[in-house]
Amino acid sequence: MQLSIIVPVFNRPLEINDLLGSLSDQTDTDFEVLIVEDGSSDRCEPEVDVFKAKLNVKYIYKENSGPGQARNMGSELSTGDYLVFLDSDCVLPSHYVQTVKQSLSRDYSDAFGGPDRAKEDFTPLQRAINYSMTSFFTTGGIRGGGERLEKFHPRSFNMGYSREVYEKTGGFSAMRFGEDIDMSIRIIGLGFRTRLIREAYVYHKRRTDLRRFFKQVYNSGIARINLYRRHPHSLKMVHCAPAVFTLGVALITIMSLFVSPYFLLPLLFHAAFTLLDATLRNRSVLIGLLAVVASYVQLLGYGLGFIHASVLRIMFRHAEFSLFQRSFYN
């Protein structure tokens, strides 16, 4: 099985250096890498050139059109029979490629996804955001190594599919956000098999701050409604939970201000459980405190985006949209 690893990048040369460094340390070195520069002003070609003696790596530049279209260009120019997509802010454990190949050889699937983790040397905020994106108290745990829906939907930060899948689906859509979930839905709809490879995890740095994180998750909330309009069967109760939480926070805040401060107790209990869980998982009170903040940014940002899109797209029948267009690589 020949793997082609495809990475879209936008103004992140240092990230590409770290990712290529981890690829050069793989125990299985039989793969190609395609770095697709999506209209960056700060290009990573010099970083790619450094690794050409160690890796079978190609550098491709294109005008900016978003990560989905960059992945499609990489797919067109690749030679492998199985395509693997990574985000530029990921680094890989040395066994990643070997794990993917061995797992697919034992139990082949047309598409796969893997979870993300935080390394010990990540900043406290990076580890806190990683917690908020994978915790049961925020996402229900559906991103943390298992998806509790009827079919597994790979995400593009760590995702692969066969050449046949690419040819029959046409690759990623032009959606700016949610294009990976749209792709997974179409893969499953065509009868292809998807699955999770738990040991094919990546270390996801998420080089961001809380402001950009809010923009990212706000757009994720909008994207969920855009996906619902494209694929009505795709919306599940768990996807509505952040919106319900956001409305609940608003109601609790109003009641605590005008009736009794005791109405804040449910939020305090939720924050306390989150603090305890994040502290124990990361063995750090600081990360636990930051995780509470990141979790509320994640829940409220996603919930507000979901509500915003529900009003415009479902109630008023507006066309597909997203906000914060410049943040779709964050």
Side-chain angles (χ1 to χ4, degrees):
M1 181 181 297
Q2 179 64 35
L3 296 188
S4 293
I5 297 176
I6 299 165
V7 184
V9 60
F10 181 72
N11 288 334
R12 302 286 184 90
L14 292 179
E15 289 183 354
I16 288 299
N17 184 73
D18 293 344
L19 173 56
L20 291 177
S22 69
L23 283 167
S24 68
D25 290 334
Q26 292 296 300
T27 55
D28 184 331
T29 59
D30 185 19
F31 58 89
E32 69 172 353
V33 183
L34 295 95
I35 304 298
V36 185
E37 189 95 69
D38 190 31
S40 303
S41 57
D42 187 8
R43 301 189 184 188
C44 66
E45 189 171 11
E47 282 73 19
V48 174
D49 287 341
V50 170
F51 285 92
K52 284 187 174 178
K54 301 178 181 179
L55 291 168
N56 178 12
V57 58
K58 301 175 185 176
Y59 173 84
I60 302 152
Y61 180 87
K62 64 180 289 296
E63 294 302 316
N64 180 263
S65 60
Q69 300 307 296
R71 296 186 196 105
N72 289 345
M73 175 170 280
S75 301
E76 284 293 319
L77 298 175
S78 65
T79 60
D81 50 20
Y82 211 99
L83 314 178
V84 176
F85 304 94
L86 302 170
D87 279 357
S88 64
D89 58 355
C90 293
V91 292
L92 308 182
S94 60
H95 61 75
Y96 178 87
V97 171
Q98 182 178 352
T99 297
V100 168
K101 287 186 178 182
Q102 289 178 346
S103 182
L104 291 175
S105 296
R106 288 193 305 266
D107 182 16
Y108 183 80
S109 59
D110 304 290
F112 81 91
D116 56 343
R117 298 184 181 182
K119 289 184 74 175
E120 291 294 327
D121 61 354
F122 283 11
T123 68
L125 181 58
Q126 286 173 331
R127 294 174 68 183
I129 289 176
N130 180 272
Y131 172 88
S132 75
M133 293 294 284
T134 58
S135 168
F136 173 80
F137 294 107
T138 52
T139 67
I142 64 173
R143 285 179 58 107
E147 186 144 339
R148 293 168 174 82
L149 304 179
E150 69 277 11
K151 299 284 187 179
F152 180 70
H153 292 70
R155 309 294 177 97
S156 58
F157 66 86
N158 182 11
M159 175 185 192
Y161 52 71
S162 68
R163 176 71 58 180
E164 181 186 8
V165 167
Y166 174 69
E167 291 172 350
K168 291 194 174 179
T169 61
F172 291 88
S173 72
M175 292 180 74
R176 288 284 183 157
F177 301 89
E179 80 288 345
D180 52 351
I181 303 174
D182 171 73
M183 182 66 183
S184 291
I185 292 170
R186 290 187 289 117
I187 289 172
I188 293 168
L190 287 172
F192 290 111
R193 182 187 175 215
T194 68
R195 71 182 181 93
L196 170 72
I197 303 179
R198 293 184 183 277
E199 291 308 310
Y201 58 85
V202 300
Y203 298 115
H204 203 172
K205 294 179 183 178
R206 292 192 175 93
R207 291 179 187 244
T208 187
D209 53 36
L210 290 175
R211 179 182 62 84
R212 287 187 291 178
F213 183 49
F214 175 85
K215 291 180 178 181
Q216 177 189 354
V217 294
Y218 194 100
N219 272 322
S220 294
I222 293 172
R224 180 53 68 178
I225 297 300
N226 287 338
L227 288 164
Y228 163 72
R229 296 292 292 166
R230 288 182 176 225
H231 312 283
H233 67 281
S234 67
L235 189 64
K236 310 298 179 185
M237 287 300 297
V238 68
H239 301 138
C240 304
V244 174
F245 179 87
T246 300
L247 294 173
V249 168
L251 179 61
I252 287 171
T253 301
I254 293 170
M255 297 298 288
S256 66
L257 289 173
F258 296 102
V259 180
S260 169
Y262 287 109
F263 279 97
L264 288 173
L265 285 177
L267 289 182
L268 294 176
F269 280 125
H270 178 265
F273 279 120
T274 302
L275 172 62
L276 179 62
D277 185 56
T279 298
L280 292 176
R281 287 177 181 271
N282 293 279
R283 301 185 298 279
S284 168
V285 175
L286 173 60
I287 295 174
L289 291 169
L290 289 172
V292 173
V293 177
S295 295
Y296 275 70
V297 169
Q298 192 261 335
L299 287 166
L300 296 175
Y302 187 103
L304 288 170
F306 188 98
I307 293 167
H308 182 188
S310 296
V311 171
L312 292 186
R313 296 228 57 205
I314 298 175
M315 292 179 62
F316 293 102
R317 303 291 179 176
H318 282 206
E320 195 169 282
F321 75 101
S322 57
L323 299 179
F324 314 118
Q325 292 281 5
R326 293 182 179 274
S327 69
F328 56 78
Y329 278 105
N330 292 335

